[in-house]
């Protein structure tokens, strides 16, 4: 727990220190020297500090995730699975450490949340704040269980701890007191008083009458109660449970220890630090009803009495962080000051111990790491502003260090490499997956730019090495130069299933669209993957490097468990973003080595929103064509040569294009719509499911029938689009161009044959051009063809995917979630919104927000998270080709959300989606052969 002190604590106006500690002060990057280098001379201190600092770097913690908010993070507390963070805005943010997703936001205090504490069993969360109350929350459903309030006006409550043995809470306050109270047993009303009086408790100082006998209400009293600050028992702290002037200054920090203090006789000891520069130890005991009895105090003898802002205990050693940048190291067995570290230029606001290291941080925004010999091992810039709080925990035996700052962010650091070089070998599969994806993203595999040809080859080689490391047989299938190779890899299933073993072909691609950050629109370097708000940002994370690696790791885990009952064949190409150039030829040449295929699976698209998983069963095909009309005469001047007798190429082209479509975009090519099947009753039902799910979250989408019609136009209706014109001659308004050409595309739907439609397009345009009687020359070039695809959404692979999705994603909360300033109720996230404005709806919907049930909201209704079956308007050239080439049905499983921004700035993939996609692949690869 950590706070910024005033220069004169007792003269500092109540509440203003909250603004001081949360003030954002961007720290300019340091020069070559450390932030503690010789800017402070020994004469400035009463005690000579240790000179154990410098710029040498040992193992430096790596940043796992940065979680953003809209106000400063003042305090944090963590257990193995959950992170709780208190904010300047009075909220408590609850995050899952596995996926870094926000599970809930508790609006529990009118003032800034200054202290958090978890009970030893993890069932109770205590929060103290600037509104003079302490709330006690159940961690199971985040409902308020108790509210603690003092008989005195305590001012800001900086810190709180709870003794599970004594069932007693202890608070440290602005008014220099330590207060304590026992939590009543459930149902006991002995300490209860009316809820309405909590926030209006009278203070003889702050609430005194003016000369006219009128008391001016405080602004805090006029504010409505926070949304979740209701329910539970109200407990008054009796006047007899107050230790006045526990410190001659604010009580900034406290800690509860169970052993290591010889004088405690095995009882719990409360350690406090205050604005008087003293550390005090207090013995607690049941015989005194939990009242603290002072054992002794630690005073380093300095006259100026620098405030104690943070304390940490490691065995029999106590560390106290001071204003002015120092850390005192005390031996509790001898009560001696054994070391004084000059850790920072300015106030040390937070200390944490873990993995055999001491971590300190403060006003400068830097974290410093000291070993057990108090040698500085590393430093890192943690926040653009003050580091206000920190904590250490183990998540699945992996050490994590958490910091929160005035830049309104939380940072989660992996310190495994700091603890032991051998720890890397024990990395979990998910951690290895993230490491592989980070390196995979670093390769600029942009297939459309010849400058990155070698990067594409390096990316392909790296991916092949990943396959090899997991035991897959691999080879590179060459394509015609200069196109990128195709990776063929095979994981063989359990030998015991050799007779009945099926073969699943997984298709993906390792190339990406171009991404430059010259305009500064990316939050990160596009090719340096970073974790932000539970997402992985970087080009290719969603399209398609993340899904490809999720499928590979699914195979690897099944092999490790001897549960891979099928052969999984991977075909990963490097030209998908350029129309799969050379892919068909390379696969046809290798069909004998690929062998027979029973099922085809790909994962190369996105959900309709950020909430409900989808399965894609249809894609439109595409024809790209260039139409050119050329005159025999050169470029001419319209004033000199223009006349009605002149056949102008651009005029001819415009008249020709006008024959292609009519009203409402209807394509006028004869027979164009003839093969298209009518909408069946079964498919119509799928659209009803889609519209019901979308409109429930966003009523502004309109009537269900209108929404369904709009989707059908984009998914199951063909279209023709004119993209761009190009003319010869200089770019001025008087030129009659010799040559005019246009690029157009046609999107096709199932039953339309791309080759036949291309031929019909050519015939139609030639016929219509002949009717013009022009002397110009018409040239039609078909640049690219891709067949439409329609899968059988009732077959075994789709059913396997559906079952796996429902099992992995779990139930869907159908209740409308309570609104927050970040996420208005009913608002749906869309890709066009800035990533900084997007709040992840899926997390709040995936986890039952039990706050609502306790505060008059609808009761949560749990439904199986059945995926939506959708079609898409885009095209993937390879899917229909693979079906024809191997005579096997295909299915399309989108891994990403609608807001992933693939092909756009700030492409990202949610960490939960990556992990869950891997689990879904595992179930399909394991169970599909058995069906």
């Amino acid at each position: 727990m950590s706070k910024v002190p005033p220069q004169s604590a007792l003269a500092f106006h109540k509440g203003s220190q909250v603004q001081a500690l949360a003030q954002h002060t961007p720290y300019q990057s340091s020069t070559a020297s450390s932030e503690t280098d010789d800017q402070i001379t020994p004469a400035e201190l009463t005690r000579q500090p240790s000179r154990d600092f410098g710029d040498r770097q040992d193992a430096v913690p790596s940043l796992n995730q940065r979680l953003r908010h809209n106000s400063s993070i003042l305090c944090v507390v963590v257990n193995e699975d959950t992170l709780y963070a208190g904010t300047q805005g009075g909220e408590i943010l609850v995050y899952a450490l596995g996926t870094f997703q926000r599970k809930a936001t508790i609006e529990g205090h009118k003032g800034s949340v200054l202290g958090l504490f978890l009970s030893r069993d993890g069932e109770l969360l205590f929060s103290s704040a600037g509104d003079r109350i302490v709330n006690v929350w159940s961690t199971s459903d985040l409902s308020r269980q108790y509210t603690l309030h003092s008989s005195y006006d305590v001012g800001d409550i900086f810190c709180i701890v709870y003794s599970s043995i004594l069932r007693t809470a202890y608070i440290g306050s602005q008014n220099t007191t330590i207060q304590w109270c026992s939590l009543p047993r459930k149902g006991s009303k002995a300490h209860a008083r009316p809820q309405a009086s909590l926030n209006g408790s009278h203070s003889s100082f702050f609430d005194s009458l003016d000369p006219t006998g009128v008391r001016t209400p405080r602004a805090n009293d006029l504010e409505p109660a926070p949304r979740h600050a209701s329910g539970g028992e109200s407990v008054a702290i009796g006047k007899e449970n107050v230790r006045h002037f526990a410190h001659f200054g604010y009580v900034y920090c406290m800690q509860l220890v169970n052993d290591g203090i010889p004088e405690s006789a095995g009882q719990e000891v409360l350690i406090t630090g205050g604005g008087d520069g003293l550390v005090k130890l207090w013995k607690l005991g049941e015989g005194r009803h939990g009242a603290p009895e002072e054992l002794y105090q630690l005073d380093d003898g300095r006259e100026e009495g620098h405030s104690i802002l943070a304390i940490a205990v490691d065995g029999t050693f106590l560390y106290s962080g001071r204003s002015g940048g120092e850390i005192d190291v005390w031996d509790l067995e001898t009560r001696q000051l054994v070391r004084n570290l000059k850790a920072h230029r300015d106030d040390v606001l937070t200390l944490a111990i873990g993995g055999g290291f001491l971590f300190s941080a403060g006003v400068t925004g830097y974290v410093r790491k000291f070993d057990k010999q108090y040698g500085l091992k590393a430093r890192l810039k943690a926040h653009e502003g003050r580091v206000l709080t920190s904590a250490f925990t183990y998540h699945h035996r992996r050490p994590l260090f958490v910091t929160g700052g005035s830049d309104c962010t939380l940072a989660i650091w992996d310190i495994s490499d700091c603890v032991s070089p051998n720890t890397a070998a024990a990395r979990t599969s998910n951690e290895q997956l993230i490491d592989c994806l980070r390196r995979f993203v670093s390769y600029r595999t942009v297939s459309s730019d010849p400058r990155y040809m070698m990067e594409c080859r390096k990316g392909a080689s790296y991916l092949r090495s990943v396959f090899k490391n997991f035991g897959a047989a691999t080879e590179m299938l060459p394509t015609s130069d200069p196109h990128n190779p195709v990776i063929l890899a095979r994981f063989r299933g359990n030998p015991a299933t050799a007779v009945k073993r099926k073969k699943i072909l997984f298709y993906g691609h390792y190339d990406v669209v171009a991404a430059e950050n010259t305009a500064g629109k990316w939050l990160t370097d596009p090719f340096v993957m970073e974790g932000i708000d539970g997402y992985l940002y970087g080009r290719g994370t969603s399209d398609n490097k993340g899904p490809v690696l999720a499928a590979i790791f699914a195979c690897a885990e099944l092999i490790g468990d001897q549960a891979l009952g099928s052969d999984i064949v991977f075909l990963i190409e490097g030209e998908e973003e350029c129309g799969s150039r050379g892919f068909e030829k390379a696969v046809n040449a290798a069909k004998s080595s690929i062998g027979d295929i029973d099922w085809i699976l790909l994962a190369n698209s996105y959900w309709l929103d950020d909430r409900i998983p989808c399965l894609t069963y249809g894609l439109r095909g595409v024809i790209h064509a260039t139409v050119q009309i050329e005159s025999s005469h050169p470029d001419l001047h319209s004033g000199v040569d223009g006349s009605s007798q002149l056949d102008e190429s651009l005029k001819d082209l415009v008249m020709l294009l006008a024959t292609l479509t009519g009203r409402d975009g209807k394509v006028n090519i004869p027979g164009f719509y003839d093969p298209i099947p009518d909408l069946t009753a079964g498919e119509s039902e799928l659209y009803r499911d889609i519209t019901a799910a979308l409109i429930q979250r966003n009523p502004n989408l309109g009537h269900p029938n209108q929404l369904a019609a709009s989707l059908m136009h984009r998914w199951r209706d063909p279209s023709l689009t004119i993209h761009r014109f190009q003319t010869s001659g200089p770019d001025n308004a008087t030129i009659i161009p010799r040559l005019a050409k246009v690029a157009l595309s046609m999107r096709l739907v199932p039953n339309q044959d791309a080759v036949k439609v291309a031929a019909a397009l050519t015939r139609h345009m030639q016929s219509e051009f002949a009717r013009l009687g022009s002397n110009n020359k018409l040239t039609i070039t078909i640049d690219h063809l891709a067949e439409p695809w329609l899968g059988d959404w009732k077959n075994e692979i789709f059913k396997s995917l559906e079952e796996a999705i429902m099992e992995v994603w779990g139930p869907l909360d159908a209740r409308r979630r309570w609104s927050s300033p970040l996420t208005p109720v009913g608002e749906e996230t869309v890709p066009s919104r800035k990533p900084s404005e997007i709040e992840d709806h899926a997390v709040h919907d995936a986890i039952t927000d039990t706050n609502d049930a306790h505060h008059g909201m609808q009761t949560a209704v749990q439904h199986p998270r059945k995926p939506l079956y959708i079609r898409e308007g885009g095209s993937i050239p390879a899917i229909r080709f693979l079906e024809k080439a191997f005579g096997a049905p295909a299915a399309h499983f989108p891994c990403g959300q609608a807001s992933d921004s693939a092909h756009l700035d700030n492409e990202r993939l949610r960490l939960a989606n990556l992990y869950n996609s891997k689990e879904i692949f595992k179930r399909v690869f394991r169970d599909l052969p058995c069906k």
Side-chain angles (χ1 to χ4, degrees), residues 25-39:
T25 53
Y27 181 69
Q28 302 298 321
S29 59
S30 63
T31 61
S33 63
S34 164
E35 83 262 27
T36 64
D37 279 352
D38 305 315
Q39 300 188 21

Side-chain angles (χ1 to χ4, degrees), residues 584-602:
E584 293 186 14
K585 184 177 180 181
V587 172
N588 283 328
K591 281 187 68 175
S592 59
S593 59
I594 296 172
D596 295 332
I597 297 296
D598 297 292
W599 304 100
I600 299 168
L601 179 60
L602 68 158

Side-chain angles (χ1 to χ4, degrees), residues 777-804:
K777 178 184 177 182
L778 170 67
T779 303
I780 303 168
T781 305
I782 303 301
D783 302 309
H784 176 68
L785 292 174
E787 295 287 350
W789 168 70
L790 185 65
D792 178 8
W793 53 275
K794 297 180 180 179
N795 69 14
E796 293 179 20
I797 188 169
F798 274 106
K799 291 307 175 187
S800 293
L801 284 164
E802 178 182 306
E803 292 170 6

Side-chain angles (χ1 to χ4, degrees), residues 815-830:
R815 181 200 62 249
R816 291 179 67 181
R817 187 177 57 84
W818 45 265
S819 62
S820 74
L822 289 178
T823 50
V825 167
E827 182 178 1
E828 202 66 56
T829 56
V830 293

Side-chain angles (χ1 to χ4, degrees), residues 431-443:
E431 290 165 344
Q432 293 179 56
L433 172 57
I434 297 301
D435 288 344
C436 284
L437 182 55
R438 178 174 289 108
R439 184 170 174 186
F440 199 14
V441 167
S442 71
Y443 293 101

